[in-house]
Structures are given as structure tokens and as C-alpha cells.
Amino acid sequence: MTNCCCQQNYSVVANQLNHRWFRMTVSPFIATLLCLSTTYVATAQQSPTNAKPVPRVTPQSPTPAVTGVSASGSQISLNGRILAGTWLRQSTKAGQVITYLSDGPFRQLIGVDFLNSSNPARQPIAWFSSATKPVVLTTRLLGAYRYLNITNFAQTAGWQLQVNGNTLAIATPKAQVTNILPSQQSTNASITPAQPNRVVVDLDRPTPWRVAQGLPIKRPPTPTADPDTVTPKSSTQPNREWTITLDGIADPNLIQRYTPLPPALPDTAPTPTPLLEQLKQLPQAPDPDQLIQKVEVVNNQTIISLSVPFGLSPQINTTANPYRLIIDIRPDAMVSRNIAWASGLRWRQQYVNLGTERFPVVLLEVNPRAVGLKPIWTNPSTLVGTAPIIQTAQQYLAVAAINGGYFNRNNKLPLGAIRRDGQWLSSPILNRGAIAWNDSGQFYFGRLTLEETLSAPNNLKLPILFLNSGYVQSGIARYTPTWGTSYTPLTDNEIILIVQKNQVTNQLPGGKANETAIPIPQDGYLLTLRGNAVSNASQLPIGTALGISTGTNPANFNSYPHILAAGPLLVQNSEIVLDAKAEKFSNAFIAEKAIRSGICTTAAGTLMIAAVHNRAGGPGPTLAEHAQLMKSLGCVNALNLDGGSSTSLYLGGQLLDRSPNTAARVHNGIGIFLQK
């Protein structure tokens, strides 16, 4: 959400006789898919140049060379399809080869469910098997990923594993989809009984499966007697497509059953023309409210397309004996989890009640004294750009991450404070809420303003309104090498002052916006004079010596090397302090019900990063509801982050809270690193 300027038969492993099913949350919580330095204490007076080097990230292998690892890679081939996924192979002294697969592909692409755990070294799982008697796999942390030992799992399931360079090839036994049947789940009274809300998929053996959220399903226009009548826009949210893809081939009769028949001509109809005959043979579009829209086989996979009403999501259970996928369409599809993922890092998800409403929350609970946090952004070489949080987190080798502050989605520029290792990368705007922290696990929350003052001879002092910011206003702004190698004017008729070694070396007309790029000196910065500030150019001729004083308001922020701003501030000292108007957010933004991201600290000293999605059967929380939710989670201090399609909670190669194809590209975030 951009607030731009204002804002084989594996069942042998796990009790073949057990008929109970396990649950896997699939939406919006589908299992599909900070680099620390010494503490820096800022002072109120800082060097006017960008003397400290810009933080750089050197691309690294996701699986760095480690003793005992004989092979590693970043992609897998699943039954011939090349997919992203990190893996390791290790040879033991006894000559055994152990294969490790990271969390993401194991859950996203295979459909394996992770069950609650209290020991990060051992992960209980279920897959067409018993959740009450789960298989337990050993884990291994390496770099930014957690790997699970799948050696025995794969052997029992009849998989064939082979390494081809960077690729781990996995071949699973061929499976057949023997039946697909919609039915009514009588236990869910919230759905109209006349409509099926369950799909049962019968299989002849366990097989990989995955689920993905698609686009809204368009309804055909309602015909009217008067062709000039304007059809009113529907006030109801459209259904959304979901697809379940199984590695298996459906019986041809199933394909025919769910392929709409062509329209039938009446007996009295005249002999159709060739064109009418062709139209007659075309299948009808399915009713957009029909649960099963289509079943098709593509590349030896069966794809089941569903039409799911707004406010509902599929929840998938698997069973053994018979082997089945049971797909329930529910308003409360998320399943509670509490998984000790690594030392100092716990993955939780739960429903939080707020009056009569229930909100699904996915969060990571972090011990900031055991792990590190850093701001991260799309491209370490420039502040211009956006990318999926998955990509950004992996680039920095962060084990976990959440999207951060606001940005302009059009020009991909930051709209809020980013400070890392004591260096200001981008300044705050509009006195909005921010979080600050150090490498000792101490935090500070508040509304933040950066106060930079330009000083020149003759006691001339001028305010610098913004540093490396996409927020545009009449006045003076400053752009350093952190911005990138060059600056292109954001408004017409700017005056650009080139400053090198604290001295004005040139003045240039900026011309029209977005046209001429002006190099930023590595030993200085650019001053951009906009609007009424262009008159200050005469007071700053070539050769003028300049100085800059920098401080924060409140001054507490000065002492913290890392800062990220978004807003509004939600909770401070255990009290809700939400005042979105004071932080210059629009009325529409304040009233909106949307998916939201947040970050907070608790009385126990832990940090939580959280994603709150749509309430059961309805839209996401308002800002006021978000503040109450964060407080009810135990937050002593809490900050709202960018939300909506930007909300993305990442852990070890996967998004925990949504399908990756529904997550927007974002500018920045907060990364979590296991090494301090």
C-alpha cells in the first residue's frame, strides 16, 4: 500500500492405519512461498559530507561452502520442472549421503505441513499421514536458510534424488487423480448450505501438491432491454480464483465432467451456418459462483481451479487410507502454529479476537539479544528501485524480513526515514512514527523529524528539508552518493548546487523534471533548490564553504544507529497513541480496512514483526483496530508499517502470510540475521 505523498507410499512412515487428517493453512496464509557492525552513537553535529561509505552488500551464494557439505545449489527439478529452492548434500564418514532441503520448497512445492515444535533442531511434519504421530526431521541452519534432512523421508516415499550441478532433481512416483467431488461441509454454518464448500480429491498415492491465489473472477454483464442503459457497478467483492496443482493425471472422465458443455440449439432451430456451428462447439463460461470452475491436465499435472467468495479461503487437509486432499472453503482458514524455528526466532500464527471480529495474525517473535536487525532496501548501490521482499531478503542473506516504510510506487523512491549503521540513507517526512534500535537489543519508538541546517559565511543558515527523499516540497533538499551515481530533478526549474569537499564547485539549472541526470560527486553531495528556495542560489556562489549540522527531534533518536519510519505510531509505553491526522495521513487512508504490517516490542524485551490479514469473513483491520490488535498481542510499543499488497512476512526462503504472486514489490524492509 503506497501512501505516496500524504501519506512408494509414504504412509508407511507415519502410521498407515491412521485415517485422521492434518491441516495446512493455504490462504491468506499459504505456505508458498539483519550483516551487522559495531554500535554507532550519533551526535547532534555530523560531517556535512557522506564520508562514511555507503553500506554495500556483496552477492553471496545462498549456501556458502561449509565443511562437510559435498554439494549445494539454489534450484530443484521436481518431476522435470525447474523451480527455485536451496538444498545441501553431505557425506558422512560412514559413506552415507544425506540430503537436506530448505523449508520453502518443502512446504510450498511438496505440500508438507510443519507442525508445532519447541526444539528448533527437530521439526515435526505431516504429509498424507498422521498429525498426532508425526515424522520428525532433523534441521540444520546454514547462512540464511534452515534445511531439513529429507533422506529417509524421500526413500520411504519412493522418490529418486539426483544432483546435476546446481540442481537437485527430485522424481516422485506417478500418481493418478481418481475422483474430484464437491460436497457440503455441514459443520460450517456460516456458508449458505445450498452451495458446496468442500472439494474432495481422491488419489492412488501421495503426491506433491501446491496452492496459489489468483485474480478476481469477472462476472459477465447483466443484459438489459435498453442497450443504452448503464449497468450499475456491483457493491459486492468478486470471487477470487484459487488453483490447486497436483503432480498426477486426472482420469479423462473427470476432465469431461468439469468442462462446460457447448450451448445446445433448440430442436426447431434452423440449420446452423458454419459460423454458428463453430460457436456452438465452443464451451460455455462456467458460472462465476460455481465452486469448481475447471479441471485440466497440463504437463502431467492436474490443475483444479476454484471460485472462492471474498472473505473465504481454502484450507487443505490430507488423509491416508484413502489418500485424499480435502479442500474446505472457510472464513477462518488459518491454522494456529507455534514453531521454534531457530534459537531466538519463533514463528507463530493465531486468530486474535477483537469484540466479535477475529483477525488472523502471522508473526515472528525475535530475541533481539540473540539475533540482529538491520534496515534493508532493494539495491545497495542506490535508493531507487523496488523488488519483492523475498528477493531483497535473499540478497542481504537475511533469514527473515518484513516490508518497511512507504515509497512512491511510480518513481520507486523512499518516502520516510532509513538509517543504518549510524548513516542516514533517507530522511523522515511529516513527523511520522518511527522505530530506532541498536545492536544491544534496545529500542525507541516515537514520531521523528530530522533537522539539518546548512551554514555558510556571514552567519547564513538555511534549513535542509529532506535528505535522499522522494518527497517533494518547495525548499532545499540534499542528495548524497547513497542516492545513486546521479540525481534527476523531480520538479521543473530546480537549481542544482554541486558540493565537493564542503565547498560549492558548480551551479546548474535542473531544467524539466525527469530529463537530465546530474552526477553526484563521491566526495560530496548535491543541493537541490526548489520553488521559493531558488532565490538562495545567489547567496551560495561557487567557492562558498559550507557546513551542515544534523540532529533529530526528539533527541532520543540520535543515540540509535538504526532507524526506519513508516507510521502511524500505534502504541507507546503500553498506551494506544494513534493519531494519524497528526502524521498527515489522508482521511481515506485512516478509514481504510486493509491488510497491515506492524513491528513492536513486548514487556519481556522481545521484538515481534507481524502481518494481519482479512478478518474472518470480511476485510482487514482499520488503523484503530490494528492498534488494538497489537496491544492485545502484548506490544508495549508498536508501529504501523506499509500495508495492503505490500504486506509480506518472509522466513527462510518463503512468504508465511500470503501467496508470493499477490505480494507487491516494495522499496525497503527490516531484515533479521542470525549472526550478530
Side-chain angles (χ1 to χ4, degrees):
M1 179 191 305
T2 307
N3 190 39
C4 281
C5 287
C6 84
Q7 45 182 276
Q8 97 204 51
N9 301 331
Y10 179 71
S11 60
V12 175
V13 176
N15 192 351
Q16 197 171 35
L17 298 178
N18 195 301
H19 289 246
R20 294 188 179 184
W21 63 60
F22 76 90
R23 293 181 175 180
M24 181 171 185
T25 305
V26 294
S27 177
F29 303 91
I30 168 70
T32 53
L33 319 172
L34 166 170
C35 345
L36 301 174
S37 64
T38 57
T39 301
Y40 175 91
V41 180
T43 62
Q45 302 293 322
Q46 296 180 332
S47 169
T49 65
N50 200 46
K52 188 168 183 175
V54 178
R56 304 292 181 190
V57 174
T58 303
Q60 301 182 43
S61 166
T63 54
V66 173
T67 302
V69 174
S70 58
S72 64
S74 59
Q75 67 182 22
I76 66 173
S77 169
L78 180 59
N79 296 324
R81 297 180 303 279
I82 301 299
L83 304 162
T86 54
W87 56 272
L88 303 172
R89 269 204 163 176
Q90 178 183 13
S91 299
T92 67
K93 293 181 180 179
Q96 181 187 10
V97 177
I98 300 175
T99 302
Y100 292 89
L101 188 60
S102 62
D103 283 20
F106 204 38
R107 299 178 58 245
Q108 299 161 5
L109 307 177
I110 308 299
V112 174
D113 191 28
F114 288 10
L115 307 177
N116 292 345
S117 67
S118 57
N119 183 355
R122 296 170 61 81
Q123 179 59 61
I125 64 167
W127 190 66
F128 294 96
S129 57
S130 170
T132 58
K133 297 180 180 180
V135 173
V136 179
L137 304 184
T138 58
T139 70
R140 178 176 181 179
L141 285 169
L142 184 58
Y145 299 91
R146 185 179 77 156
Y147 297 87
L148 289 86
N149 182 348
I150 66 166
T151 309
N152 294 335
F153 176 97
Q155 182 178 5
T156 307
W159 294 2
Q160 294 180 356
L161 305 179
Q162 183 177 344
V163 171
N164 298 317
N166 184 50
T167 303
L168 174 66
I170 303 174
T172 67
K174 293 182 179 179
Q176 294 285 329
V177 179
T178 59
N179 199 6
I180 302 173
L181 188 65
S183 65
Q184 176 64 32
Q185 182 190 13
S186 59
T187 57
N188 192 346
S190 63
I191 301 176
T192 306
Q195 293 293 330
N197 56 25
R198 168 177 285 183
V199 177
V200 178
V201 182
D202 290 331
L203 302 162
D204 68 340
R205 66 182 343 115
T207 194
W209 61 270
R210 64 182 185 272
V211 63
Q213 185 178 4
L215 298 174
I217 297 175
K218 294 182 179 180
R219 292 180 176 274
T222 304
T224 62
D226 184 356
D228 295 326
T229 300
V230 177
T231 304
K233 185 177 180 180
S234 175
S235 59
T236 60
Q237 293 277 4
N239 286 16
R240 185 171 284 271
E241 182 186 46
W242 286 81
T243 58
I244 291 86
T245 303
L246 303 98
D247 275 39
I249 299 177
D251 186 284
N253 292 330
L254 292 176
I255 307 299
Q256 186 175 0
R257 182 192 306 172
Y258 294 107
T259 300
L261 296 174
L265 291 176
D267 295 337
T268 57
T271 303
T273 65
L275 177 59
L276 288 176
E277 186 63 36
Q278 293 176 36
L279 292 174
K280 174 185 173 183
Q281 295 172 4
L282 293 175
Q284 289 181 309
D287 180 348
D289 290 326
Q290 181 178 305
L291 179 56
I292 300 178
Q293 293 284 291
K294 182 170 58 175
V295 175
E296 57 185 335
V297 174
V298 180
N299 296 330
N300 296 320
Q301 291 181 298
T302 296
I303 303 173
I304 305 171
S305 299
L306 305 178
S307 174
V308 178
F310 175 77
L312 308 181
S313 307
Q315 180 189 85
I316 297 184
N317 312 307
T318 66
T319 69
N321 302 318
Y323 300 117
R324 282 179 171 168
L325 260 72
I326 299 178
I327 307 161
D328 288 322
I329 309 302
R330 304 174 59 93
D332 54 350
M334 189 187 73
V335 175
S336 296
R337 297 191 194 282
N338 192 335
I339 295 174
W341 197 86
S343 178
L345 178 57
R346 181 173 291 274
W347 163 22
R348 290 167 43 198
Q349 55 189 53
Q350 64 194 75
Y351 278 94
V352 179
N353 294 331
L354 199 60
T356 60
E357 307 285 2
R358 301 180 68 211
F359 291 89
V361 181
V362 180
L363 64 87
L364 295 176
E365 188 172 8
V366 177
N367 179 354
R369 294 168 294 282
V371 303
L373 288 85
K374 293 268 186 160
I376 57 177
W377 61 101
T378 303
N379 187 340
S381 299
T382 176
L383 286 180
V384 183
T386 59
I389 197 67
I390 288 181
Q391 179 179 316
T392 302
Q394 291 175 335
Q395 179 180 208
Y396 284 80
L397 294 184
V399 69
I402 192 168
N403 64 291
Y406 300 105
F407 58 97
N408 187 305
R409 202 174 294 279
N410 295 323
N411 57 25
K412 304 177 182 179
L413 300 177
L415 295 173
I418 308 172
R419 172 162 152 156
R420 175 170 164 143
D421 297 325
Q423 180 189 1
W424 283 105
L425 305 174
S426 183
S427 63
I429 66 171
L430 303 172
N431 195 37
R432 287 183 171 173
I435 177 175
W437 67 96
N438 59 28
D439 296 330
S440 300
Q442 297 171 314
F443 295 87
Y444 181 77
F445 289 73
R447 297 184 178 96
L448 170 64
T449 299
L450 180 66
E451 297 174 342
E452 279 200 332
T453 301
L454 182 71
S455 60
N458 300 322
N459 205 29
L460 176 66
K461 295 186 181 300
L462 299 170
I464 298 175
L465 300 184
F466 302 105
L467 169 66
N468 294 333
S469 178
Y471 188 67
V472 176
Q473 216 175 32
S474 177
I476 302 176
R478 186 162 75 99
Y479 294 89
T480 73
T482 303
W483 180 262
T485 58
S486 64
Y487 164 78
T488 302
L490 300 176
T491 61
D492 292 344
N493 303 318
E494 297 178 356
I495 299 295
I496 311 297
L497 276 61
I498 300 175
V499 181
Q500 293 176 269
K501 297 180 179 179
N502 305 327
Q503 189 175 67
V504 178
T505 60
N506 205 355
Q507 289 192 8
L508 300 171
K512 287 196 171 184
N514 305 313
E515 285 193 357
T516 305
I518 299 170
I520 299 175
Q522 289 300 306
D523 58 351
Y525 52 89
L526 301 182
L527 290 175
T528 298
L529 313 184
R530 301 182 180 124
N532 295 334
V534 297
S535 62
N536 296 126
S538 61
Q539 299 174 283
L540 302 168
I542 295 174
T544 303
L546 300 179
I548 295 177
S549 63
T550 301
T552 63
N553 185 16
N556 305 61
F557 279 104
N558 279 326
S559 302
Y560 293 87
H562 314 299
I563 296 175
L564 190 135
L569 190 65
L570 301 176
V571 181
Q572 195 171 32
N573 299 323
S574 299
E575 298 294 332
I576 293 178
V577 294
L578 173 64
D579 190 348
K581 275 287 189 183
E583 298 186 29
K584 305 297 190 299
F585 287 98
S586 67
N587 291 333
F589 182 86
I590 294 170
E592 185 178 17
K593 295 179 179 180
I595 296 168
R596 301 197 182 274
S597 303
I599 185 168
C600 83
T601 54
T602 69
T606 60
L607 177 84
M608 292 194 297
I609 53 176
V612 183
H613 279 253
N614 292 332
R615 73 193 75 204
T622 63
L623 284 172
E625 288 173 326
H626 193 208
Q628 295 176 65
L629 289 167
M630 297 299 279
K631 184 177 180 181
S632 66
L633 285 168
C635 296
V636 173
N637 299 285
L639 176 70
N640 181 71
L641 302 174
D642 190 12
S645 61
S646 294
T647 292
S648 306
L649 185 60
Y650 167 89
L651 177 66
Q654 61 196 312
L655 287 188
L656 299 180
D657 66 308
R658 69 192 311 158
S659 297
N661 61 305
T662 69
R665 300 168 68 91
V666 299
H667 181 275
N668 60 77
I670 295 175
I672 297 174
F673 300 83
L674 292 182
Q675 292 80 29
K676 293 201 72 172

